[in-house]
Amino acid sequence: MTILVTGGAGYIGSHTCVELIDNGYNVIVIDNLCNSNPRCLDRVGLLTNKTVKFYEGDVRDQKLLEEIFSDNKIDCVIHFAGLKAVGDSVNNPWHYYDNNLNVTLVLTKVMEKYGVKNIIFSSSATVYDVNNPMPLGEESKTGNCTNPYGWTKYMTEQILKDMARVDSELGVALLRYFNPIGAHHSGMIGEDPRGVPTNLMPYITQVAIGRRDFLSIYGDDYNTPDGTGVRDYIHVVDLAKGHVAAVQYLEQNKGCEAFNLGTGTGYSVLEMVNTFKKVNDVSIAFKIVERRDGDIGVCYSNPDKSNKKLSWKAIYSLEDMVRDSWKWQSQNPAGYAD
């Protein structure tokens, strides 16, 4: 079985490629490398003893996409390709709508032409209404997104739902991620953001390695045990294994289903910092600064549906997550640039 992974050279995509190959799937990657590095796929090859077939290009390039589908018998698509920085989406909304919606429209058009009927979409907990009670289940209210990035995920889900409604042969899994952190246990692949990190863990690791002076913690007056924001963090390898489970699910099921991929446990920012310091025996300088607009105090998942329907469960602990994050960063101080 051959899987096309769009955006497969990225952080989550590369870890998913490893898990797919380890489970016997053939993997093809298309990535325009706007926020990734081709060395990552070289390391995927070293980890799996398989050379990943790679096409450099934009998923919106229909001619290239048709070449890929024509030259390869693709059975399923895992769709990661898209821009993903929340703050950047607020400042550049047109860019996000143009990219994130059109990649899906072109991709599904070519899938239909070549008779490919299974797609797994890289969605996000940002599709949930901020006013929902916790924990968030798949039945929780969606919409009322706080930024264009979230709206592109919400709109893409709607596009795929509508397509599945009129095509009974189509199988769609909408995987709603919470907060992926960690790295492959080897330390060979991990999160390597370009520029200033927009997520917590790579910022912590860059402070620890000396690339940043201190971590800014946005607010300590939330209604949480220590006043800092609480989120559901999941090991990226657990997340990658969730994609393999989704592929296996679509081999037996059609229609469109949403699945939360999270641990069901919330950890505060200070808890993350203190656990990182304790497990890795390194110091982390931080400052408390004002809250960011749009941030909420608490967000965590109810993953019961994924546990039951996908036969998947997150197994790695917070200690595993921070240890593997630091192993990646300490072995690769400048990321893939090393």
Side-chain angles (χ1 to χ4, degrees), residues 172-325:
V172 179
L174 309 172
L175 302 187
R176 294 172 179 167
Y177 309 161
F178 279 71
N179 296 79
I181 61 173
H184 192 271
H185 63 84
S186 66
M188 289 180 64
I189 59 173
E191 188 168 11
D192 184 26
R194 292 190 178 178
V196 179
T198 58
N199 295 326
L200 176 64
M201 187 50 63
Y203 212 113
I204 290 175
T205 61
Q206 289 190 14
V207 171
I209 204 72
R211 288 172 62 181
R212 309 284 167 191
D213 293 332
F214 62 88
L215 169 72
S216 294
I217 296 178
Y218 296 98
D220 64 350
D221 57 352
Y222 289 103
N223 184 23
T224 62
D226 60 26
T228 63
V230 169
R231 297 291 183 269
D232 186 339
Y233 295 94
I234 178 173
H235 199 296
V236 67
V237 173
D238 275 331
L239 189 66
K241 291 178 184 292
H243 291 74
V244 176
V247 171
Q248 294 167 347
Y249 176 84
L250 291 184
E251 290 179 41
Q252 305 295 327
N253 297 275
K254 295 301 178 183
C256 182
E257 288 277 3
F259 298 99
N260 284 340
L261 293 186
T263 65
T265 302
Y267 300 101
S268 75
V269 176
L270 278 177
E271 194 173 359
M272 297 292 292
V273 171
N274 290 331
T275 304
F276 187 94
K277 290 164 61 176
K278 180 180 178 181
V279 169
N280 298 310
D281 193 25
V282 293
S283 61
I284 302 294
F286 66 86
K287 293 182 180 180
I288 304 296
V289 298
E290 292 185 358
R291 293 186 186 189
R292 292 180 297 194
D293 289 341
D295 276 354
I296 61 175
V298 178
C299 181
Y300 64 98
S301 71
N302 177 350
D304 287 351
K305 181 179 178 182
S306 296
N307 298 165
K308 294 172 184 175
K309 285 202 167 188
L310 297 182
S311 299
W312 168 91
K313 188 180 179 71
I315 61 173
Y316 291 102
S317 68
L318 179 57
E319 288 75 16
D320 295 327
M321 299 182 214
V322 299
R323 182 187 61 249
D324 291 342
S325 294

Side-chain angles (χ1 to χ4, degrees), residues 10-141:
Y11 172 47
I12 303 171
S14 59
H15 286 81
T16 300
C17 287
V18 170
E19 295 302 320
L20 288 168
I21 294 169
D22 284 350
N23 279 273
Y25 295 99
N26 297 316
V27 171
I28 299 169
V29 168
I30 176 173
D31 199 305
N32 65 6
L33 304 179
C34 73
N35 194 33
S36 56
N37 191 306
R39 293 181 185 177
C40 174
L41 294 178
D42 293 337
R43 297 192 185 186
V44 169
L46 291 172
L47 287 169
T48 61
N49 293 314
K50 296 276 187 180
T51 300
V52 177
K53 191 171 186 179
F54 173 55
Y55 293 83
E56 182 179 347
D58 197 306
V59 179
R60 292 173 294 177
D61 182 346
Q62 185 173 333
K63 182 178 179 182
L64 172 60
L65 211 56
E66 292 206 20
E67 175 187 326
I68 295 171
F69 278 78
S70 177
D71 291 348
N72 304 277
K73 186 184 181 304
I74 294 166
D75 301 289
C76 179
V77 175
I78 300 181
H79 182 29
F80 293 106
L83 301 172
K84 65 185 184 76
V86 169
D88 186 43
S89 78
V90 174
N91 295 325
N92 300 285
W94 183 89
H95 193 40
Y96 273 69
Y97 289 118
D98 173 58
N99 186 89
N100 291 6
L101 298 182
N102 279 322
V103 290
T104 302
L105 293 172
V106 174
L107 175 63
T108 51
K109 180 179 181 180
V110 175
M111 285 176 61
E112 182 177 22
K113 179 175 179 178
Y114 286 86
V116 179
K117 295 295 186 178
N118 292 320
I119 182 169
I120 296 162
F121 175 55
S122 166
S123 192
S124 167
T126 57
V127 302
Y128 288 114
D129 190 310
V130 294
N131 297 312
N132 279 305
M134 297 296 142
L136 294 168
E138 290 83 356
E139 74 288 346
S140 297
K141 185 178 179 182

